Amino acid sequence: MNSTLTTPASLNHPAPAAAAWVRTWGAAPQAPDNSVSSLEPFENATLRQVVRISGGGHHVRIRISNEYATAPLTVGAASVALADADGAIQDSSIRAITFGRQSTVTVPAGAPALSDPVDLSVPALSRLAIGLYLPGRVDTATCHGTFHTFGRLIPGDATTRAALPTEAAPLPAQALITAVEVQPDTPTRAIAVLGDSRVDGIGSTPGADRRWTDRLAERLHAHDSPTRCVVNQGIGGNRLLTDGIGTAALARFDRDILATPGLGHVVIAVGNDLVFSFAPRNEETAAFLAMFPGEPVGVDDIIAAHLQAAARARAHGAKVYAATIAPYGGSDLYTPEGDKAREQINDWIRTSGAFDAVLDFDAVWRDPADPSRIHDDLHMGDHLHGNDAGYAALAESIDLSLFD
């Protein structure tokens, strides 16, 4: 066995039973269809992906997903290590990942798998390189559509290698890994964010950790908050009530939000039901809207969906915060009728008392000269999604005392 790879000490010396696991990073799993990714089949290859966690800890475990596959998934070997932003691995930190004390695991179609604890100290806001060796052919890999991680596809079993070989190729989408969990050194809680593309960070610099959830994690760490873990469960194009790009948010709510270890706070930030229901039907939007089947929904439907999510979160002991829907005037999807509905929903979110607090993202992004539009300095150019400055502004607007 390669001496660089060490067996987790936690298998011989289990972590204390009282230590609570907390999710520190997440990516909502999606089906590998054409609207999500262009992943080709894998075979005899290692997927190495770098993710930045939010809160740290002294043990770590990984969740992989075969939930949208049509056949069992065999992982022949797996590893985790500390890495820098470019994916360079700290050689001495490489650890083997096992599943049920075995170095290999076969995950049934439709199922996830959670690894054994790995004895590795991971600081808050550190990056982890996770390697998965896939010996057999994988035709349909459960993935995540927006690729915010550094990823490489390497021929053969490269789980023990620190340096990237010259034949490593860019990985075009995030694949198989859906969560990282830690046992923190001090008690902490997780914030799980249910969202669409504005949560998933469309428009932010890829691989730079500049989504508003990333920035919030940085602020919480600097604030020495008792809540350190921020879990982004946004899916670009996702809706609360209807499948399309990603399973409908209310349908995936139990898996992606309520099943979060250490859950303390839930943020609801999904606005696409409104945007797509009121979008103009013309030649410019026809191909895009074809990806979103289903009947249009109205203001009352969206309010009812928010109430459902809030009630389910509170039943799990979590505090619930809702974000107002930011402007989108000037985008191809804008209509005055849609903007009126957006204002009605935002007024209800602000005044209903249905939530423990409101994150008023509409107020942060809107242009004072035209409240139907995002301020020009804060969007990526499409009048719909933020840029790095826009997402930073959202993070800066959040009252950190909400998570004390």
Side-chain angles (χ1 to χ4, degrees), residues 373-398:
R373 291 174 176 254
I374 302 172
H375 194 284
D376 281 342
D377 293 338
L378 301 179
H379 69 80
M380 65 175 286
D382 65 352
H383 302 275
L384 185 63
H385 299 99
N387 55 20
D388 288 349
Y391 291 122
L394 296 184
E396 288 293 332
S397 74
I398 298 172

Side-chain angles (χ1 to χ4, degrees), residues 54 82 85 89 118 136-137 161 180 198 215 226 267 275 286 298 329 340 372 380 400 403:
S54 47
L82 293 167
I89 288 176
V118 177
R137 184 177 173 89
R161 300 181 64 171
V180 177
R198 288 164 165 177
R215 297 294 198 175
V267 177
V275 174
K340 181 179 179 181
S372 72
M380 65 175 286
L400 297 185
F403 309 109

Side-chain angles (χ1 to χ4, degrees), residues 76-127:
S79 64
V80 61
L82 293 167
D84 65 20
D86 295 323
I89 288 176
Q90 297 179 20
D91 186 68
S92 62
S93 72
I94 300 176
R95 302 287 189 273
I97 296 174
T98 60
F99 298 83
R101 299 177 182 256
Q102 303 297 314
S103 60
T104 66
V105 64
T106 297
V107 187
L114 191 63
S115 80
D116 298 322
V118 177
D119 188 2
L120 178 65
S121 181
V122 291
L125 305 179
S126 59
R127 291 178 171 85

Side-chain angles (χ1 to χ4, degrees), residues 26 61 73 111 148 154 160 184 186 188 232 235 241 245 395 402:
R61 65 185 183 187
L73 167 74
H148 286 288
I154 307 168
T160 67
T186 57
T188 189
N232 187 313
I235 294 178
L241 292 162
I245 297 182
L402 295 175

Side-chain angles (χ1 to χ4, degrees), residues 112-184:
L114 191 63
S115 80
D116 298 322
V118 177
D119 188 2
L120 178 65
S121 181
V122 291
L125 305 179
S126 59
R127 291 178 171 85
L128 303 181
I130 301 168
L132 301 176
Y133 171 55
L134 310 174
R137 184 177 173 89
V138 179
D139 288 308
T140 54
T142 297
C143 59
H144 183 78
T146 306
F147 199 43
H148 286 288
T149 63
F150 175 93
R152 288 293 184 268
L153 182 64
I154 307 168
D157 181 359
T159 54
T160 67
R161 300 181 64 171
L164 278 172
T166 56
E167 63 269 28
L171 190 63
Q174 194 170 305
L176 303 179
I177 304 164
T178 60
V180 177
E181 296 165 5
V182 294
Q183 285 182 316

Side-chain angles (χ1 to χ4, degrees), residues 316-338:
H316 279 71
K319 289 189 175 181
V320 187
Y321 310 134
T324 53
I325 303 171
Y328 64 110
S331 78
D332 291 339
L333 301 176
Y334 176 83
T335 62
E337 296 78 15

